[in-house]
């Protein structure tokens, strides 16, 4: 019977060659699993990289899981030198939110989480300001106020790191968290942190993108959600979108219009990540 | 070696149940075929319908093709009561174009065909006017001028039918062909004719959709490409798109703005059909 | 000095003929007013209707206002048989919200109102359910729970009417208020009620538009904000937008995807109304 | 009587201050002119720049024109230190097209010109290749093949300059003309040349933007039409648009998808320029 408990996702990445789909689907069939959804992508069938995301269910998955994984490793993964990951649909990822003062991205995620559109657990929210405490605590979530200055940054980041570990956080989302993470922290959590940058990357990297957009006189503004790497705003892009603007719009209009794009883009990116639909390859993503 | 000759598509439709993906990929692997692309969709894994489109290549496909199909039928298709179709990538579909006076959709298709973006053969163009003869013949294509009136419609349609057969046409595209096909002709070619309707269906069915859109005061106009059935404008939708309009736009502005949407939507729909990415189910389409 | 108190909007509608812009701008110049923004639209310069929205400021407007209006009436409006309305930028419209169970549109408006992006006063929220009381009262707003059944509808609507009067409401927004207003109530508040309909009108009028959209197999779903008239879903359209969907989306996916379009469209429409940028003409709108 | 001959456009730019709209409309009213359309924009009503585009008609404009302009200069323009320009609706601008090998942007403009959607005269087409001669001459237009190499560039540009003068060209459009104009030529024709750059500026400046877009892994690609200045790809932006792409798209897919965006954006920009709806201010545009 198909329940959340019995449903799992299998993510695979390996050098492409003939026979992978057959091997994987055959394996699952032998195990008595039913494939619900299957998506693949190959960068080049002869010399490229193969990516697959399969969703399947298997009666009594909970007790069979370890044996299934061991069998998969032995019978399939090793044959193809696969990187792979099983992920149970009923085990929610634990997502930490970091925010500064602007609440629009935060609220979008909290609201979708609360109505179960975003199937994550939110163990904590961290902020370098105290402004959003009331809002966050109204959702019944722990709020950690960690102010930071140029001098206290290493200690503040050490505390962030400590909290993420303590709360067994799977990934973090910088929901207009306006501090630039140090190389250390970015490296430590590489590809486990999603950031929303308020421009259409690679345009307007860094600070004040709306002001720069206004000065350049662009006719569209955008937002980009990407994984954080130690290279500012250069990490793999997960999702982007734009909105039309005109000569009528001053910088603060761009800021206002941009808010809706930011929250929409960030929500889509977080959703894709949560559903294991994002695979990172090189500095790019495959988003199933 | 992967060449167009050695590449084929396999389209499958059947009642969903466990084991289909395994059976198909296993079969292809046994035959020595390499899967290039594989997309599936199920309406409901327990009681629904399963659709798959696989692209694979097989050395020496041309000579092995018949045996391959026979083997597939015996070993897989019959087991799952599949509707299926093999389609060779190097065998272009033969597409007839029907047009009246407006050239924008016609030109878009001719232009994409000429630059090989649309991998079809165009055996002929039929029109109930003579206006576009020069344009069409400049592309080196046969142009058939078949005027029609209320009285001569049955004979004109009989001639269309005759020409489509004579030229071994696989499917036809009504590229702003402004005559409503009779039930007979629509039935005969059911799902083998694609029409572009200049509105966002199901809004503004029938004649003068731009005028009706203007009167309703909509803020977006659209176009819809769909398969023709004997129910006017009710056939399975393949693709739709819209464009923003405002109070500034009179009916003839809507007509002008609408042209770009129509040609874009029709081209996308024809491309999907040509690439065997469209599966009709009920009165809807799965577009891979 | 330009302050909100000194800023006003002038909305004009009249039969078009030469000299209107000159007369109006000349009048304002004579009064010592500075024009900040001026937008016009004419349906036909010879026999059509002229619409204008001017924003201007005038030192000491508060005390001069009545005299200004009287002078305008005498010197300009009567000459051109104008319908006109002055509206002070500092006098916020009073907007009532009606909602049933779905909170997405409501929350969007409350959130924008709270951050002053929507410059209205919200005197009260009315609902036929009690579900959203906590949410609304958290914003510090009065919540009126008015349950309704087929039998009690006239009394319930009488109470709505009474409350709207008591709270001196300028206009109301049906933010996914799922009851169909009676002809009486619709007539009484004609063009003073904005509704969000969860389809791209005129497609899928009435109930269950997402289900109908699913059945029709459209490739885009939409939402439409319009003024309520006594003709269901037929009133003047203010704003519309769409979102792409595919064969993968079941009806509940359409509902989920549609939520974002609904709240975005409703917010834009309410904003336009609040800023006096919407003029109703016939069954259509001019939206400056 | 309103005819194309009697219709003119007045473009104004000056320091903003009270009374401009009144002065201009009053002047036109005194002259017996009827305003058809009037759009304004001010960057800041107190210390900013004011822009206006008025369309009006005046019986017997052809003979009255010079007197009208003289009167306007004396009575209005000098008072406000205006930069202004009258432009008769029946006098088409003369537009030269420059192209290399790709025909999509060229064809779009030729097609719209031929059906009178683009109200320009096209005196000549210049190319550094001979490929598109047949296509262009089929439209009845003179084609000048001016090959160029690193060494011959100055002479080739001198010939371009000579031809533009000889044919009394008002402005030129680089419709995927792949040569970078020298500073000299760019300066000489500053703001009289429109270029289409196949990226969403300021992202991916310079060569191979699609390749760079592919490498960055963006989820949207775009195109930008801008006035050419002596700073490569840095000139005032007129119009931009984007199209969604995914991991499935290789560089040549981006090129193919990008073509539709490029021709659409370029056509919109050229249309706006032709209709005198574009005002350049600083390095930006106001597009009415």
């Amino acid at each position: 019977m198909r329940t959340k408990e019995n449903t799992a996702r299998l993510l695979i990445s390996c050098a492409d060659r003939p026979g992978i789909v057959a091997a994987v689907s055959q394996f699952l069939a032998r195990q008595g699993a039913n494939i619900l959804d299957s998506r693949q992508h190959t960068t080049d069938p002869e010399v490229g990289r193969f990516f697959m995301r399969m969703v399947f269910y298997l009666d009594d998955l909970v007790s069979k899981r370890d044996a299934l994984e061991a069998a998969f490793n032995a019978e399939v993964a090793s044959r193809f030198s696969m990187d792979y990951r099983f992920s149970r649909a009923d085990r929610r990822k634990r997502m930490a939110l970091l925010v500064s003062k602007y609440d629009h991205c935060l609220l979008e995620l909290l609201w979708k989480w609360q109505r179960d559109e975003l199937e994550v657990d939110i163990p904590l929210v961290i902020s370098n300001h105290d402004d959003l405490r009331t809002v966050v605590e109204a959702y019944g979530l722990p709020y950690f106020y960690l102010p930071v200055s140029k001098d206290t940054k290493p200690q503040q980041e050490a505390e962030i790191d400590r909290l993420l570990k303590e709360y067994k956080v799977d990934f973090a989302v910088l929901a207009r968290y306006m501090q630039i993470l140090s190389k250390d922290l970015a490296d430590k959590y590489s590809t486990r942190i999603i950031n929303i940058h308020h421009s259409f990357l690679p345009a307007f990297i860094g600070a004040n993108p709306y002001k720069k957009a206004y000065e350049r006189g662009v006719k569209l503004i955008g937002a980009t959600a990407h994984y954080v790497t130690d290279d500012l705003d250069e990490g793999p892009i997960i999702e982007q979108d734009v909105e039309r603007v005109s000569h009528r719009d001053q910088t603060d209009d761009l800021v206002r219009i941009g808010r809706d794009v930011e929250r929409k883009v960030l929500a889509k990116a977080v959703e894709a990540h949560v559903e294991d639909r994002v695979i990172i390859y090189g500095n790019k993503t495959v988003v199933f």
Side-chain angles (χ1 to χ4, degrees), chain A residues 95-273:
Chain A
M95 170 180 86
L97 293 170
L98 281 80
V99 66
S100 290
K101 282 193 172 195
Y102 302 137
D103 64 355
H104 54 287
C105 288
L106 173 79
L107 282 181
E108 185 74 356
L109 295 175
L110 290 181
W111 181 67
K112 286 190 187 264
W113 162 77
Q114 190 178 61
R115 58 191 307 134
D116 229 32
E117 267 182 46
L118 204 52
E119 296 185 348
V120 273
D121 287 336
I122 304 181
L124 78 166
V125 177
I126 296 172
S127 179
N128 58 323
H129 293 276
D130 212 34
D131 301 54
L132 299 174
R133 175 181 296 279
T134 318
V135 164
V136 170
E137 289 180 348
Y139 277 86
L141 299 173
Y143 185 89
F144 290 88
Y145 167 38
L146 304 183
V148 64
S149 72
K150 212 160 158 188
D151 300 319
T152 65
K153 185 156 175 166
Q155 296 91 301
Q156 190 247 20
E157 287 203 342
E159 181 62 9
I160 291 177
D161 190 16
R162 195 194 68 72
L163 282 167
L164 297 181
K165 287 193 168 64
E166 177 183 334
Y167 281 84
K168 299 190 190 334
V169 163
D170 291 308
F171 75 106
V173 174
L174 308 180
R176 290 307 298 272
Y177 179 70
M178 302 311 292
Q179 293 293 314
I180 297 174
L181 304 187
S182 68
K183 271 194 185 303
D184 278 349
L185 196 59
D187 273 343
K188 195 173 285 192
Y189 287 89
S190 189
T191 75
R192 285 202 295 148
I193 301 182
I194 296 174
N195 180 47
I196 183 70
H197 180 74
H198 40 310
S199 85
F200 176 73
L201 292 176
F204 311 126
I205 278 170
N208 297 317
Y210 288 126
K211 182 161 177 286
K212 293 175 187 166
Y214 175 75
E215 287 164 357
R216 184 61 185 91
V218 288
K219 300 299 180 181
L220 298 167
I221 54 167
T224 306
H226 64 99
Y227 289 107
V228 170
T229 59
D230 59 19
D231 218 339
L232 181 66
D233 295 334
E234 297 289 346
I237 293 171
I238 310 168
E239 167 70 359
Q240 302 180 280
D241 209 345
V242 297
E243 186 71 53
R244 197 158 274 280
V245 294
S246 81
H247 54 269
R248 292 187 184 288
D249 300 306
Q250 304 289 315
T251 303
D252 54 353
D253 295 303
L254 302 190
V255 169
R256 178 179 49 83
I257 293 166
R259 278 198 281 261
D260 283 347
V261 198
E262 293 169 37
R263 67 179 181 169
K264 172 180 178 174
V265 165
L266 183 59
K268 278 190 98 172
V270 172
E271 231 169 73
H273 178 90

Side-chain angles (χ1 to χ4, degrees), chain A residues 38-72:
Chain A
S38 174
R39 307 187 199 187
Q40 307 97 43
H41 174 65
T42 181
T43 62
D44 180 326
E46 266 141 47
V47 297
R49 193 92 188 147
F50 174 87
F51 305 100
M52 173 181 260
R53 175 188 185 265
M54 239 182 214
V55 183
F56 63 91
Y57 75 91
L58 178 59
D59 282 336
D60 211 18
L61 175 66
V62 180
S63 53
K64 293 184 188 168
R65 195 192 186 296
D66 292 341
L68 179 80
E69 218 179 311
F72 182 77

Side-chain angles (χ1 to χ4, degrees), chain A residues 72-110:
Chain A
F72 182 77
N73 192 33
E75 299 173 37
V76 184
S78 46
R79 262 176 64 195
F80 293 92
S81 306
M82 287 177 174
D83 294 323
Y84 70 94
R85 179 162 66 85
F86 282 89
S87 160
R88 265 171 54 194
D90 67 322
R91 262 217 63 225
R92 294 173 158 233
K93 287 181 176 37
R94 296 171 64 78
M95 170 180 86
L97 293 170
L98 281 80
V99 66
S100 290
K101 282 193 172 195
Y102 302 137
D103 64 355
H104 54 287
C105 288
L106 173 79
L107 282 181
E108 185 74 356
L109 295 175
L110 290 181

